[in-house]
Amino acid sequence: MKEITLKALAKINLGLDVIGKREDGYHELRMVMQTIHLHDRLQIRRTSEPGIKIHTNLSFLPVNESNLVYQAASLLMTEFKITEGVEVNLSKRIPVSAGMAGGSTDAAAMLYGMNRLFELGLSRGELMERGLKLGADIPYCLMRGTALAEGIGEELTQLPPMVKGPVLIAKPAVSVPTKLVYQKLKLDKGMSHPDIDSLVRAIQKKDFDGVCAHMGNVLETVTIPMYPVIEQIKEQMLNSGAAAAMMSGSGPTVFGLFRDEKSAVQAVNEMRSSNLARQVFLTGIYNNRRE
């Protein structure tokens, strides 16, 4: 195999709780992660010339060692002493700095693609171990589907597939540094926490209304006061018929879950007319681990 084309799928958080801060500075998390069909595309080609070349459709994205795709390729090239090179065409659709694991899912796809192209023989679990060296979300992006994530996000438990349905994605014209959000988070005794256990049970029962009722994200307490447009987007989605709407990850992207395609399509048009969001997508829940 000389070339491979892969979809790198985005994620949303159906639930995100921070239960404490560890001695190493990282936060202890409990999250329910869900893959959606919105994706970037990676075309990866083996080259006789050594090195890693990345081309992308976004001029502001780095294409050097600071890019996670580059780091993923370099990690496997170093470990397996690969002397050939790779050339990557990265077509970005997932919003950048948006709480949707765009960089992590691209790196996960790169690890998977390198494994296939160079016939390294690594299992998915072995790829996940290597991905964790680059970022806490990368193991999940290799697993895909519906999962409970604990620890710093690397302790994964596969859950039954989430009920399928339309998902509206809207990102306002701001970008949120994840590190800043966690730095500003105050874990007060009186703060409200989402009921992750009830959310998991609702997923297991295929209870769509139960999922919507138990969704929650503690990071909204930090990001929404910084960017009130996030709350406006949530309200717009709910007014347009979303069964539930919530910020994903550290934000600022908001997603809405809908019961039917017709109301979701109408909500897309209303969101675009509102001018609250710069990027608006209608997508869906992804259940299979790899397509």
Side-chain angles (χ1 to χ4, degrees), residues 228-270:
V229 67
I230 295 169
E231 187 65 40
Q232 293 177 279
I233 292 174
K234 286 177 62 177
E235 290 172 0
Q236 175 68 42
M237 287 189 185
L238 293 170
N239 291 338
S240 294
M246 194 175 80
M247 184 181 82
S248 183
S250 57
T253 301
V254 177
F255 69 91
L257 302 183
F258 288 79
R259 290 184 172 84
D260 62 88
E261 194 77 18
K262 184 178 178 181
S263 59
V265 169
Q266 182 177 336
V268 169
N269 294 330
E270 291 172 356

Side-chain angles (χ1 to χ4, degrees), residues 99-121:
M100 301 186 75
S104 294
T105 193
D106 292 343
M110 191 67 195
L111 291 172
Y112 179 87
M114 292 284 291
N115 190 43
R116 290 280 305 277
L117 276 179
F118 293 96
E119 299 179 344
L120 304 180

Side-chain angles (χ1 to χ4, degrees), residues 5-12 33-42 90-95 99-110 112 137-146 164 169 283-291:
T5 299
L6 299 168
K7 292 179 181 179
L9 275 65
K11 65 86 182 167
I12 53 176
M33 315 273 267
Q34 176 61 55
T35 312
I36 57 175
H37 277 283
L38 179 63
H39 65 271
D40 296 340
R41 188 179 296 273
L42 282 81
L90 172 60
S91 179
K92 292 288 295 179
R93 288 186 74 237
I94 301 170
M100 301 186 75
S104 294
T105 193
D106 292 343
M110 191 67 195
Y112 179 87
D137 281 345
I138 295 176
Y140 166 73
C141 291
L142 283 156
M143 174 185 276
R144 294 180 166 181
T146 313
K164 283 198 171 186
I169 301 293
T283 184
I285 297 292
Y286 175 98
N287 286 336
N288 297 323
R289 295 183 185 177
R290 187 163 296 278
E291 288 186 350

Side-chain angles (χ1 to χ4, degrees), residues 46-67:
R46 288 173 62 164
T47 62
S48 56
E49 182 183 345
I52 303 164
K53 291 182 181 177
I54 301 174
H55 312 282
T56 178
N57 59 323
L58 299 181
S59 60
F60 60 85
L61 275 189
V63 292
N64 54 18
E65 294 88 346
S66 59
N67 188 306

